[in-house]
Amino acid sequence: MRCLILEDSLTAKRMLSRALAAAGCTELLEAASGKQALELCDGSVALAILNWNAPGSGPDLVRALRAKPGCAGMRIIVTSSHNSRGEVIRAQQEGVSHYLVRPFTVETLRARIADLFPELADGPVA
């Protein structure tokens, strides 16, 4: 499974990389900006983890990803330090699959991935 991370924190990027590998991500793409994330999404990416507050991220990026051919069905998990109900609802209205408020645990992330990909719930698919 190909996964994409948009994260501007090196520490968070490392944690996400390890968690995605453990959850069944076989190829990891990393973006430093929303523009780069959009360029990397070619229709073969199954899951994107986006820092809602990274440069060029947020609602505009999610709309652009959903509009890009081949990326409309990609699952998107957003991470953010903003935990207002309005922000969560806005993200869901834009087409985000899950919204994780920071800080979160690796177990919480894996649970969200298992929710989106039930076939991975018992570990990576060979």
Side-chain angles (χ1 to χ4, degrees):
M1 174 170 77
R2 290 186 84 199
C3 301
L4 170 68
I5 294 175
L6 168 55
E7 178 54 64
D8 54 353
S9 161
L10 184 59
T11 302
K13 190 182 297 185
R14 285 180 182 153
M15 184 275 293
L16 290 170
S17 296
R18 285 191 304 272
L20 286 170
C25 179
T26 56
E27 185 178 350
L28 183 63
L29 307 171
E30 294 183 3
S33 69
K35 180 181 178 186
Q36 188 179 21
L38 192 57
E39 291 169 358
L40 289 171
C41 183
D42 63 0
S44 66
V45 176
L47 173 66
I49 309 283
L50 308 176
N51 177 342
W52 196 242
N53 308 108
S57 189
D60 292 336
L61 175 59
V62 173
R63 276 193 297 277
L65 287 169
R66 292 293 182 219
K68 190 171 181 177
C71 296
M74 176 179 61
R75 275 59 162 230
I76 299 173
I77 297 176
V78 163
T79 68
S80 178
S81 58
H82 299 278
N83 64 355
S84 72
R85 180 175 163 84
E87 194 70 19
V88 174
I89 290 170
R90 180 178 183 195
Q92 290 172 333
Q93 289 172 338
E94 295 297 342
V96 168
S97 307
H98 281 295
Y99 189 102
L100 287 175
V101 177
R102 293 172 179 230
F104 56 87
T105 65
V106 171
E107 292 78 17
T108 301
L109 176 61
R110 288 199 67 186
R112 296 307 180 277
I113 294 170
D115 179 56
L116 298 172
F117 300 94
E119 66 276 14
L120 299 176
D122 295 324
V125 175

